[in-house]
Short mmCIF file of all heavy atoms in Angstrom, two decimals:
data_model
loop_
_atom_site.label_atom_id
_atom_site.label_comp_id
_atom_site.label_asym_id
_atom_site.label_seq_id
_atom_site.Cartn_x
_atom_site.Cartn_y
_atom_site.Cartn_z
N MET A 1 32.09 -92.38 -66.58
CA MET A 1 32.08 -90.91 -66.30
C MET A 1 30.95 -90.23 -67.05
O MET A 1 30.73 -90.48 -68.23
CB MET A 1 33.43 -90.31 -66.73
CG MET A 1 34.54 -90.56 -65.73
SD MET A 1 34.32 -89.63 -64.23
CE MET A 1 35.04 -88.05 -64.71
N GLN A 2 30.29 -89.39 -66.35
CA GLN A 2 29.23 -88.63 -66.97
C GLN A 2 29.76 -87.27 -67.37
O GLN A 2 30.69 -86.75 -66.76
CB GLN A 2 28.06 -88.45 -66.00
CG GLN A 2 27.29 -89.76 -65.79
CD GLN A 2 26.14 -89.57 -64.84
OE1 GLN A 2 26.27 -88.85 -63.87
NE2 GLN A 2 25.04 -90.22 -65.09
N GLY A 3 29.15 -86.75 -68.39
CA GLY A 3 29.52 -85.40 -68.79
C GLY A 3 29.08 -84.39 -67.77
O GLY A 3 28.36 -84.71 -66.81
N LYS A 4 29.47 -83.19 -67.98
CA LYS A 4 29.09 -82.14 -67.03
C LYS A 4 27.61 -81.83 -67.17
O LYS A 4 27.13 -81.50 -68.24
CB LYS A 4 29.92 -80.88 -67.31
CG LYS A 4 29.86 -79.92 -66.15
CD LYS A 4 30.72 -78.69 -66.41
CE LYS A 4 30.65 -77.75 -65.22
NZ LYS A 4 31.36 -76.51 -65.49
N LYS A 5 26.94 -82.00 -66.06
CA LYS A 5 25.49 -81.76 -66.09
C LYS A 5 25.19 -80.38 -65.55
O LYS A 5 25.95 -79.83 -64.77
CB LYS A 5 24.77 -82.82 -65.24
CG LYS A 5 24.58 -84.11 -66.00
CD LYS A 5 23.70 -85.05 -65.21
CE LYS A 5 23.40 -86.32 -65.99
NZ LYS A 5 22.60 -87.25 -65.21
N LYS A 6 24.05 -79.94 -65.96
CA LYS A 6 23.59 -78.64 -65.47
C LYS A 6 23.34 -78.69 -63.98
O LYS A 6 22.74 -79.64 -63.49
CB LYS A 6 22.28 -78.27 -66.18
CG LYS A 6 22.46 -77.27 -67.29
CD LYS A 6 21.08 -76.76 -67.71
CE LYS A 6 20.94 -76.79 -69.22
NZ LYS A 6 19.57 -76.52 -69.62
N GLU A 7 23.77 -77.68 -63.31
CA GLU A 7 23.46 -77.58 -61.89
C GLU A 7 22.00 -77.17 -61.75
O GLU A 7 21.55 -76.22 -62.37
CB GLU A 7 24.34 -76.52 -61.23
CG GLU A 7 25.80 -76.92 -61.19
CD GLU A 7 26.04 -78.11 -60.26
OE1 GLU A 7 25.35 -78.21 -59.24
OE2 GLU A 7 26.92 -78.93 -60.56
N ARG A 8 21.33 -77.96 -60.96
CA ARG A 8 19.91 -77.62 -60.80
C ARG A 8 19.54 -77.63 -59.33
O ARG A 8 20.02 -78.44 -58.55
CB ARG A 8 19.03 -78.62 -61.55
CG ARG A 8 18.92 -78.28 -63.01
CD ARG A 8 18.05 -79.27 -63.71
NE ARG A 8 16.64 -79.08 -63.39
CZ ARG A 8 15.70 -79.98 -63.70
NH1 ARG A 8 16.02 -81.08 -64.29
NH2 ARG A 8 14.45 -79.76 -63.40
N SER A 9 18.71 -76.72 -59.02
CA SER A 9 18.22 -76.63 -57.67
C SER A 9 16.75 -76.26 -57.72
O SER A 9 16.37 -75.27 -58.33
CB SER A 9 19.01 -75.57 -56.90
OG SER A 9 18.44 -75.40 -55.64
N PHE A 10 15.96 -77.09 -57.16
CA PHE A 10 14.54 -76.78 -57.18
C PHE A 10 13.86 -77.34 -55.93
O PHE A 10 14.41 -78.21 -55.25
CB PHE A 10 13.87 -77.33 -58.43
CG PHE A 10 14.01 -78.82 -58.59
CD1 PHE A 10 13.02 -79.66 -58.09
CD2 PHE A 10 15.11 -79.37 -59.24
CE1 PHE A 10 13.15 -81.04 -58.23
CE2 PHE A 10 15.25 -80.74 -59.36
CZ PHE A 10 14.26 -81.57 -58.86
N VAL A 11 12.74 -76.83 -55.68
CA VAL A 11 11.97 -77.27 -54.51
C VAL A 11 10.59 -77.69 -54.95
O VAL A 11 9.93 -77.02 -55.73
CB VAL A 11 11.84 -76.12 -53.48
CG1 VAL A 11 11.05 -76.59 -52.27
CG2 VAL A 11 13.21 -75.62 -53.07
N THR A 12 10.21 -78.87 -54.50
CA THR A 12 8.88 -79.35 -54.82
C THR A 12 8.02 -79.32 -53.57
O THR A 12 8.45 -79.78 -52.51
CB THR A 12 8.93 -80.79 -55.36
OG1 THR A 12 9.86 -80.83 -56.42
CG2 THR A 12 7.58 -81.23 -55.87
N LYS A 13 6.89 -78.75 -53.70
CA LYS A 13 6.02 -78.64 -52.53
C LYS A 13 4.76 -79.45 -52.75
O LYS A 13 4.10 -79.33 -53.77
CB LYS A 13 5.66 -77.19 -52.26
CG LYS A 13 6.85 -76.33 -51.96
CD LYS A 13 6.79 -75.08 -52.82
CE LYS A 13 8.09 -74.31 -52.70
NZ LYS A 13 8.18 -73.28 -53.71
N VAL A 14 4.47 -80.24 -51.77
CA VAL A 14 3.26 -81.03 -51.83
C VAL A 14 2.40 -80.70 -50.64
O VAL A 14 2.84 -80.77 -49.49
CB VAL A 14 3.56 -82.55 -51.82
CG1 VAL A 14 2.27 -83.36 -51.89
CG2 VAL A 14 4.48 -82.92 -52.99
N MET A 15 1.22 -80.29 -50.92
CA MET A 15 0.35 -79.89 -49.83
C MET A 15 -0.67 -80.99 -49.57
O MET A 15 -1.37 -81.44 -50.46
CB MET A 15 -0.38 -78.60 -50.18
CG MET A 15 -1.14 -78.03 -49.00
SD MET A 15 -1.63 -76.34 -49.30
CE MET A 15 -2.55 -76.03 -47.81
N LYS A 16 -0.70 -81.40 -48.34
CA LYS A 16 -1.66 -82.40 -47.95
C LYS A 16 -2.81 -81.73 -47.24
O LYS A 16 -2.84 -81.61 -46.03
CB LYS A 16 -0.99 -83.46 -47.07
CG LYS A 16 0.03 -84.27 -47.84
CD LYS A 16 0.63 -85.35 -46.97
CE LYS A 16 1.60 -86.21 -47.79
NZ LYS A 16 2.25 -87.23 -46.98
N ALA A 17 -3.74 -81.28 -48.05
CA ALA A 17 -4.83 -80.48 -47.50
C ALA A 17 -5.82 -81.34 -46.72
O ALA A 17 -6.59 -80.84 -45.91
CB ALA A 17 -5.55 -79.75 -48.62
N THR A 18 -5.79 -82.64 -46.99
CA THR A 18 -6.75 -83.51 -46.32
C THR A 18 -6.36 -83.76 -44.88
O THR A 18 -7.18 -84.13 -44.06
CB THR A 18 -6.87 -84.85 -47.07
OG1 THR A 18 -5.55 -85.36 -47.30
CG2 THR A 18 -7.58 -84.69 -48.40
N MET A 19 -5.09 -83.56 -44.61
CA MET A 19 -4.61 -83.79 -43.25
C MET A 19 -4.69 -82.50 -42.45
O MET A 19 -3.99 -81.55 -42.73
CB MET A 19 -3.17 -84.29 -43.26
CG MET A 19 -3.06 -85.78 -43.47
SD MET A 19 -1.31 -86.25 -43.58
CE MET A 19 -0.75 -85.80 -41.95
N GLU A 20 -5.53 -82.49 -41.48
CA GLU A 20 -5.60 -81.32 -40.63
C GLU A 20 -5.43 -81.75 -39.20
O GLU A 20 -6.12 -82.61 -38.71
CB GLU A 20 -6.94 -80.61 -40.83
CG GLU A 20 -6.96 -79.75 -42.07
CD GLU A 20 -8.11 -78.76 -42.05
OE1 GLU A 20 -8.76 -78.63 -41.00
OE2 GLU A 20 -8.35 -78.14 -43.09
N PHE A 21 -4.49 -81.13 -38.58
CA PHE A 21 -4.26 -81.48 -37.18
C PHE A 21 -5.20 -80.72 -36.26
O PHE A 21 -5.30 -81.02 -35.08
CB PHE A 21 -2.81 -81.17 -36.80
CG PHE A 21 -1.81 -82.08 -37.46
CD1 PHE A 21 -0.45 -81.81 -37.32
CD2 PHE A 21 -2.21 -83.19 -38.18
CE1 PHE A 21 0.48 -82.65 -37.90
CE2 PHE A 21 -1.28 -84.03 -38.77
CZ PHE A 21 0.07 -83.77 -38.63
N GLY A 22 -5.86 -79.71 -36.83
CA GLY A 22 -6.79 -78.95 -36.02
C GLY A 22 -6.12 -77.92 -35.12
O GLY A 22 -6.76 -77.34 -34.28
N LYS A 23 -4.83 -77.75 -35.35
CA LYS A 23 -4.13 -76.74 -34.55
C LYS A 23 -4.31 -75.38 -35.17
O LYS A 23 -4.08 -75.19 -36.36
CB LYS A 23 -2.63 -77.07 -34.52
CG LYS A 23 -2.18 -77.76 -33.26
CD LYS A 23 -0.67 -77.80 -33.25
CE LYS A 23 -0.16 -78.80 -32.24
NZ LYS A 23 1.28 -79.00 -32.35
N ARG A 24 -4.66 -74.44 -34.34
CA ARG A 24 -4.82 -73.11 -34.90
C ARG A 24 -3.63 -72.24 -34.55
O ARG A 24 -3.07 -72.30 -33.46
CB ARG A 24 -6.09 -72.46 -34.35
CG ARG A 24 -7.32 -72.95 -35.07
CD ARG A 24 -8.57 -72.22 -34.59
NE ARG A 24 -9.75 -72.80 -35.20
CZ ARG A 24 -10.20 -72.46 -36.42
NH1 ARG A 24 -9.55 -71.55 -37.12
NH2 ARG A 24 -11.28 -73.02 -36.91
N CYS A 25 -3.28 -71.42 -35.51
CA CYS A 25 -2.15 -70.50 -35.27
C CYS A 25 -2.62 -69.38 -34.35
O CYS A 25 -3.67 -68.79 -34.57
CB CYS A 25 -1.69 -69.95 -36.61
SG CYS A 25 -0.47 -68.63 -36.44
N PRO A 26 -1.88 -69.14 -33.31
CA PRO A 26 -2.26 -68.09 -32.38
C PRO A 26 -2.15 -66.68 -32.97
O PRO A 26 -2.71 -65.74 -32.44
CB PRO A 26 -1.29 -68.26 -31.20
CG PRO A 26 -0.11 -68.95 -31.78
CD PRO A 26 -0.62 -69.79 -32.92
N VAL A 27 -1.46 -66.59 -34.08
CA VAL A 27 -1.23 -65.26 -34.68
C VAL A 27 -2.36 -64.90 -35.64
O VAL A 27 -2.97 -63.84 -35.53
CB VAL A 27 0.13 -65.21 -35.40
CG1 VAL A 27 0.37 -63.84 -36.02
CG2 VAL A 27 1.25 -65.54 -34.41
N CYS A 28 -2.64 -65.79 -36.61
CA CYS A 28 -3.63 -65.46 -37.62
C CYS A 28 -4.95 -66.21 -37.42
O CYS A 28 -5.95 -65.86 -38.03
CB CYS A 28 -3.08 -65.74 -39.03
SG CYS A 28 -2.80 -67.49 -39.37
N GLY A 29 -4.96 -67.20 -36.55
CA GLY A 29 -6.20 -67.92 -36.26
C GLY A 29 -6.55 -68.98 -37.28
O GLY A 29 -7.57 -69.65 -37.18
N GLU A 30 -5.69 -69.16 -38.27
CA GLU A 30 -5.92 -70.17 -39.29
C GLU A 30 -5.56 -71.55 -38.77
O GLU A 30 -4.65 -71.68 -37.94
CB GLU A 30 -5.03 -69.87 -40.50
CG GLU A 30 -5.59 -68.82 -41.41
CD GLU A 30 -5.93 -69.39 -42.77
OE1 GLU A 30 -5.07 -70.07 -43.34
OE2 GLU A 30 -7.05 -69.17 -43.23
N VAL A 31 -6.25 -72.57 -39.30
CA VAL A 31 -5.86 -73.93 -38.97
C VAL A 31 -4.58 -74.24 -39.71
O VAL A 31 -4.50 -74.08 -40.92
CB VAL A 31 -6.97 -74.94 -39.35
CG1 VAL A 31 -6.50 -76.36 -39.11
CG2 VAL A 31 -8.23 -74.65 -38.56
N MET A 32 -3.59 -74.66 -38.97
CA MET A 32 -2.30 -74.93 -39.59
C MET A 32 -2.33 -76.29 -40.28
O MET A 32 -2.86 -77.26 -39.74
CB MET A 32 -1.20 -74.91 -38.53
CG MET A 32 -1.10 -73.54 -37.85
SD MET A 32 0.04 -73.57 -36.47
CE MET A 32 1.55 -73.12 -37.29
N LYS A 33 -1.75 -76.32 -41.45
CA LYS A 33 -1.74 -77.57 -42.21
C LYS A 33 -0.32 -78.04 -42.44
O LYS A 33 0.56 -77.24 -42.76
CB LYS A 33 -2.41 -77.31 -43.58
CG LYS A 33 -3.90 -77.12 -43.46
CD LYS A 33 -4.46 -76.62 -44.76
CE LYS A 33 -5.97 -76.35 -44.60
NZ LYS A 33 -6.52 -75.66 -45.76
N PRO A 34 -0.15 -79.35 -42.28
CA PRO A 34 1.20 -79.89 -42.51
C PRO A 34 1.50 -79.91 -44.01
O PRO A 34 0.73 -80.40 -44.81
CB PRO A 34 1.13 -81.30 -41.95
CG PRO A 34 -0.33 -81.65 -41.98
CD PRO A 34 -1.10 -80.37 -41.87
N VAL A 35 2.62 -79.36 -44.36
CA VAL A 35 3.02 -79.31 -45.76
C VAL A 35 4.38 -79.98 -45.90
O VAL A 35 5.31 -79.69 -45.15
CB VAL A 35 3.11 -77.85 -46.26
CG1 VAL A 35 3.55 -77.79 -47.71
CG2 VAL A 35 1.78 -77.15 -46.08
N GLN A 36 4.44 -80.89 -46.84
CA GLN A 36 5.69 -81.59 -47.06
C GLN A 36 6.52 -80.84 -48.10
O GLN A 36 6.07 -80.62 -49.21
CB GLN A 36 5.43 -83.00 -47.53
CG GLN A 36 6.58 -83.95 -47.22
CD GLN A 36 6.20 -85.38 -47.56
OE1 GLN A 36 5.78 -85.67 -48.65
NE2 GLN A 36 6.35 -86.26 -46.62
N VAL A 37 7.67 -80.44 -47.69
CA VAL A 37 8.57 -79.72 -48.61
C VAL A 37 9.74 -80.63 -48.95
O VAL A 37 10.47 -81.08 -48.07
CB VAL A 37 9.07 -78.42 -47.97
CG1 VAL A 37 10.02 -77.69 -48.93
CG2 VAL A 37 7.90 -77.52 -47.60
N ILE A 38 9.85 -80.91 -50.22
CA ILE A 38 10.95 -81.77 -50.67
C ILE A 38 11.96 -80.90 -51.42
O ILE A 38 11.64 -80.26 -52.40
CB ILE A 38 10.44 -82.89 -51.60
CG1 ILE A 38 9.36 -83.70 -50.89
CG2 ILE A 38 11.60 -83.79 -52.02
CD1 ILE A 38 8.41 -84.37 -51.88
N SER A 39 13.15 -80.89 -50.91
CA SER A 39 14.19 -80.10 -51.59
C SER A 39 15.29 -81.04 -52.04
O SER A 39 15.65 -81.99 -51.36
CB SER A 39 14.74 -79.05 -50.63
OG SER A 39 15.24 -79.66 -49.47
N SER A 40 15.78 -80.76 -53.21
CA SER A 40 16.87 -81.60 -53.74
C SER A 40 18.11 -80.78 -53.85
O SER A 40 18.10 -79.64 -54.27
CB SER A 40 16.45 -82.16 -55.11
OG SER A 40 16.23 -81.10 -55.99
N GLN A 41 19.17 -81.39 -53.44
CA GLN A 41 20.46 -80.72 -53.51
C GLN A 41 21.46 -81.65 -54.17
O GLN A 41 21.47 -82.84 -53.91
CB GLN A 41 20.94 -80.38 -52.11
CG GLN A 41 20.13 -79.26 -51.46
CD GLN A 41 20.64 -78.95 -50.07
OE1 GLN A 41 20.97 -79.84 -49.31
NE2 GLN A 41 20.72 -77.68 -49.74
N ARG A 42 22.29 -81.05 -54.96
CA ARG A 42 23.31 -81.88 -55.60
C ARG A 42 24.62 -81.70 -54.84
O ARG A 42 25.09 -80.60 -54.62
CB ARG A 42 23.48 -81.47 -57.06
CG ARG A 42 24.24 -82.51 -57.81
CD ARG A 42 24.32 -82.16 -59.27
NE ARG A 42 25.07 -83.18 -59.97
CZ ARG A 42 25.45 -83.08 -61.23
NH1 ARG A 42 25.10 -82.04 -61.93
NH2 ARG A 42 26.13 -84.02 -61.79
N SER A 43 25.15 -82.81 -54.48
CA SER A 43 26.40 -82.77 -53.76
C SER A 43 27.52 -82.32 -54.69
O SER A 43 27.72 -82.89 -55.75
CB SER A 43 26.73 -84.15 -53.19
OG SER A 43 28.06 -84.18 -52.74
N PRO A 44 28.21 -81.27 -54.31
CA PRO A 44 29.29 -80.77 -55.17
C PRO A 44 30.46 -81.75 -55.27
O PRO A 44 31.23 -81.73 -56.22
CB PRO A 44 29.73 -79.47 -54.48
CG PRO A 44 29.25 -79.59 -53.08
CD PRO A 44 28.06 -80.50 -53.09
N ARG A 45 30.57 -82.60 -54.30
CA ARG A 45 31.70 -83.53 -54.29
C ARG A 45 31.44 -84.75 -55.17
O ARG A 45 32.21 -85.08 -56.05
CB ARG A 45 31.99 -83.97 -52.85
CG ARG A 45 33.44 -84.38 -52.65
CD ARG A 45 33.71 -84.78 -51.23
NE ARG A 45 33.73 -83.63 -50.31
CZ ARG A 45 33.84 -83.75 -49.00
NH1 ARG A 45 33.93 -84.94 -48.45
NH2 ARG A 45 33.86 -82.70 -48.23
N SER A 46 30.30 -85.41 -54.91
CA SER A 46 30.03 -86.65 -55.64
C SER A 46 29.12 -86.43 -56.84
O SER A 46 29.06 -87.27 -57.72
CB SER A 46 29.38 -87.68 -54.69
OG SER A 46 28.14 -87.19 -54.24
N GLY A 47 28.42 -85.30 -56.85
CA GLY A 47 27.51 -85.04 -57.95
C GLY A 47 26.19 -85.76 -57.80
O GLY A 47 25.34 -85.72 -58.68
N ALA A 48 26.01 -86.45 -56.68
CA ALA A 48 24.79 -87.20 -56.47
C ALA A 48 23.70 -86.29 -55.93
O ALA A 48 23.96 -85.34 -55.20
CB ALA A 48 25.03 -88.34 -55.52
N TRP A 49 22.46 -86.64 -56.29
CA TRP A 49 21.34 -85.86 -55.81
C TRP A 49 20.92 -86.35 -54.43
O TRP A 49 20.86 -87.55 -54.18
CB TRP A 49 20.15 -85.96 -56.76
CG TRP A 49 20.36 -85.17 -58.01
CD1 TRP A 49 20.82 -85.67 -59.19
CD2 TRP A 49 20.15 -83.77 -58.21
NE1 TRP A 49 20.89 -84.63 -60.11
CE2 TRP A 49 20.48 -83.49 -59.54
CE3 TRP A 49 19.69 -82.75 -57.37
CZ2 TRP A 49 20.36 -82.20 -60.06
CZ3 TRP A 49 19.58 -81.46 -57.90
CH2 TRP A 49 19.93 -81.20 -59.24
N ARG A 50 20.63 -85.40 -53.62
CA ARG A 50 20.15 -85.74 -52.29
C ARG A 50 18.81 -85.07 -52.07
O ARG A 50 18.59 -83.92 -52.43
CB ARG A 50 21.13 -85.23 -51.23
CG ARG A 50 22.22 -86.24 -50.94
CD ARG A 50 23.18 -85.69 -49.94
NE ARG A 50 22.50 -85.14 -48.77
CZ ARG A 50 23.13 -84.61 -47.73
NH1 ARG A 50 24.42 -84.55 -47.72
NH2 ARG A 50 22.47 -84.16 -46.72
N PHE A 51 17.89 -85.84 -51.50
CA PHE A 51 16.57 -85.29 -51.27
C PHE A 51 16.29 -85.17 -49.78
O PHE A 51 16.49 -86.11 -49.02
CB PHE A 51 15.50 -86.16 -51.92
CG PHE A 51 15.61 -86.17 -53.41
CD1 PHE A 51 16.35 -87.14 -54.06
CD2 PHE A 51 14.98 -85.19 -54.16
CE1 PHE A 51 16.47 -87.14 -55.44
CE2 PHE A 51 15.09 -85.18 -55.54
CZ PHE A 51 15.82 -86.15 -56.18
N ASN A 52 15.87 -84.02 -49.41
CA ASN A 52 15.52 -83.78 -48.02
C ASN A 52 14.03 -83.50 -47.93
O ASN A 52 13.51 -82.67 -48.65
CB ASN A 52 16.30 -82.59 -47.46
CG ASN A 52 17.79 -82.84 -47.51
OD1 ASN A 52 18.27 -83.88 -47.11
ND2 ASN A 52 18.53 -81.88 -48.04
N THR A 53 13.38 -84.23 -47.07
CA THR A 53 11.95 -84.01 -46.88
C THR A 53 11.71 -83.38 -45.51
O THR A 53 12.17 -83.89 -44.50
CB THR A 53 11.17 -85.33 -46.99
OG1 THR A 53 11.56 -85.99 -48.18
CG2 THR A 53 9.68 -85.08 -47.01
N THR A 54 11.02 -82.29 -45.54
CA THR A 54 10.72 -81.61 -44.31
C THR A 54 9.23 -81.34 -44.25
O THR A 54 8.60 -80.99 -45.24
CB THR A 54 11.45 -80.26 -44.23
OG1 THR A 54 12.78 -80.41 -44.73
CG2 THR A 54 11.50 -79.74 -42.82
N THR A 55 8.66 -81.58 -43.10
CA THR A 55 7.25 -81.26 -42.92
C THR A 55 7.14 -80.00 -42.08
O THR A 55 7.67 -79.93 -40.98
CB THR A 55 6.50 -82.41 -42.25
OG1 THR A 55 6.67 -83.60 -43.02
CG2 THR A 55 5.01 -82.11 -42.15
N VAL A 56 6.47 -79.02 -42.64
CA VAL A 56 6.31 -77.78 -41.91
C VAL A 56 4.83 -77.49 -41.74
O VAL A 56 3.99 -77.93 -42.53
CB VAL A 56 6.97 -76.60 -42.64
CG1 VAL A 56 8.48 -76.75 -42.66
CG2 VAL A 56 6.43 -76.46 -44.04
N MET A 57 4.50 -76.79 -40.69
CA MET A 57 3.11 -76.41 -40.46
C MET A 57 2.89 -75.06 -41.13
O MET A 57 3.55 -74.08 -40.82
CB MET A 57 2.84 -76.32 -38.96
CG MET A 57 3.03 -77.64 -38.22
SD MET A 57 2.03 -78.98 -38.88
CE MET A 57 0.41 -78.50 -38.29
N ALA A 58 1.95 -75.06 -42.06
CA ALA A 58 1.73 -73.84 -42.83
C ALA A 58 0.42 -73.17 -42.45
O ALA A 58 -0.60 -73.81 -42.28
CB ALA A 58 1.74 -74.17 -44.32
N CYS A 59 0.48 -71.88 -42.32
CA CYS A 59 -0.71 -71.06 -42.14
C CYS A 59 -0.48 -69.76 -42.90
O CYS A 59 0.49 -69.64 -43.64
CB CYS A 59 -0.97 -70.81 -40.65
SG CYS A 59 0.28 -69.77 -39.90
N LYS A 60 -1.35 -68.82 -42.67
CA LYS A 60 -1.22 -67.56 -43.40
C LYS A 60 0.12 -66.88 -43.16
O LYS A 60 0.66 -66.19 -44.01
CB LYS A 60 -2.35 -66.60 -42.98
CG LYS A 60 -3.59 -66.76 -43.81
CD LYS A 60 -4.62 -65.74 -43.39
CE LYS A 60 -5.96 -65.97 -44.14
NZ LYS A 60 -7.00 -65.10 -43.62
N CYS A 61 0.62 -67.06 -41.96
CA CYS A 61 1.85 -66.37 -41.57
C CYS A 61 3.06 -66.76 -42.42
O CYS A 61 3.87 -65.91 -42.77
CB CYS A 61 2.17 -66.64 -40.10
SG CYS A 61 0.85 -66.14 -39.00
N ASN A 62 3.16 -68.06 -42.72
CA ASN A 62 4.36 -68.47 -43.45
C ASN A 62 4.02 -69.02 -44.83
O ASN A 62 4.85 -69.64 -45.48
CB ASN A 62 5.15 -69.50 -42.64
CG ASN A 62 4.36 -70.76 -42.37
OD1 ASN A 62 3.23 -70.89 -42.81
ND2 ASN A 62 4.94 -71.67 -41.63
N ASN A 63 2.80 -68.77 -45.28
CA ASN A 63 2.38 -69.22 -46.59
C ASN A 63 3.36 -68.83 -47.67
O ASN A 63 3.73 -69.62 -48.52
CB ASN A 63 1.01 -68.60 -46.92
CG ASN A 63 0.00 -69.71 -47.23
OD1 ASN A 63 0.36 -70.84 -47.45
ND2 ASN A 63 -1.26 -69.35 -47.23
N LYS A 64 3.74 -67.57 -47.62
CA LYS A 64 4.62 -67.05 -48.68
C LYS A 64 5.98 -67.74 -48.64
O LYS A 64 6.58 -68.02 -49.67
CB LYS A 64 4.78 -65.55 -48.52
CG LYS A 64 3.57 -64.80 -49.02
CD LYS A 64 3.74 -63.31 -48.85
CE LYS A 64 2.46 -62.60 -49.28
NZ LYS A 64 2.51 -61.16 -48.97
N GLU A 65 6.46 -67.99 -47.44
CA GLU A 65 7.76 -68.63 -47.33
C GLU A 65 7.69 -70.07 -47.81
O GLU A 65 8.58 -70.57 -48.49
CB GLU A 65 8.23 -68.62 -45.87
CG GLU A 65 8.57 -67.22 -45.37
CD GLU A 65 8.64 -67.18 -43.86
OE1 GLU A 65 9.22 -68.12 -43.28
OE2 GLU A 65 8.13 -66.23 -43.28
N VAL A 66 6.60 -70.74 -47.41
CA VAL A 66 6.48 -72.17 -47.74
C VAL A 66 6.23 -72.37 -49.22
O VAL A 66 6.85 -73.20 -49.86
CB VAL A 66 5.35 -72.81 -46.92
CG1 VAL A 66 5.12 -74.24 -47.36
CG2 VAL A 66 5.68 -72.74 -45.43
N PHE A 67 5.34 -71.57 -49.78
CA PHE A 67 4.96 -71.77 -51.16
C PHE A 67 5.70 -70.87 -52.13
O PHE A 67 5.56 -71.00 -53.33
CB PHE A 67 3.46 -71.61 -51.33
CG PHE A 67 2.67 -72.64 -50.56
CD1 PHE A 67 2.05 -72.30 -49.36
CD2 PHE A 67 2.60 -73.95 -51.01
CE1 PHE A 67 1.35 -73.25 -48.65
CE2 PHE A 67 1.90 -74.90 -50.29
CZ PHE A 67 1.29 -74.55 -49.12
N GLY A 68 6.42 -69.94 -51.58
CA GLY A 68 7.20 -69.04 -52.42
C GLY A 68 6.34 -68.16 -53.30
O GLY A 68 6.78 -67.69 -54.34
N ALA A 69 5.12 -67.95 -52.89
CA ALA A 69 4.21 -67.14 -53.70
C ALA A 69 4.50 -65.65 -53.59
O ALA A 69 4.91 -65.18 -52.58
CB ALA A 69 2.77 -67.41 -53.28
ZN1 ZN B 1 -0.44 -67.90 -38.65
#
């Protein structure tokens, strides 16, 4: 049995700037870049960490949402 651990929730963002699909956003005209967003969640039941990886296309429109800036 492990002691009670701190609940933690964080998001790690990795930007792969070298990968460009060449798709331009029709809204801002920027080339959209694939960004890998890794989020970790702790299961309240088992206490195990779960990692979810999502790839999103980032441009000026959702920069703030993706990077939390
Ligand atoms: Zn855009």
Side-chain angles (χ1 to χ4, degrees):
M1 281 289 276
Q2 288 181 321
K4 196 178 180 185
K5 279 188 176 178
K6 258 192 227 171
E7 293 292 326
R8 278 180 73 192
S9 175
F10 59 92
V11 180
T12 308
K13 298 131 189 168
V14 180
M15 189 166 177
K16 292 183 177 177
T18 49
M19 276 176 63
E20 280 196 10
F21 291 172
K23 260 190 196 172
R24 281 184 186 276
C25 172
V27 180
C28 67
E30 280 244 310
V31 175
M32 299 173 91
K33 289 169 183 170
V35 180
Q36 204 174 53
V37 179
I38 304 155
S39 58
S40 61
Q41 289 180 318
R42 195 176 179 187
S43 168
R45 206 179 288 174
S46 63
W49 286 97
R50 273 178 49 179
F51 294 93
N52 299 312
T53 309
T54 319
T55 304
V56 293
M57 298 304 286
C59 67
K60 271 183 185 173
C61 302
N62 61 2
N63 237 345
K64 283 180 184 173
E65 291 164 42
V66 174
F67 296 103

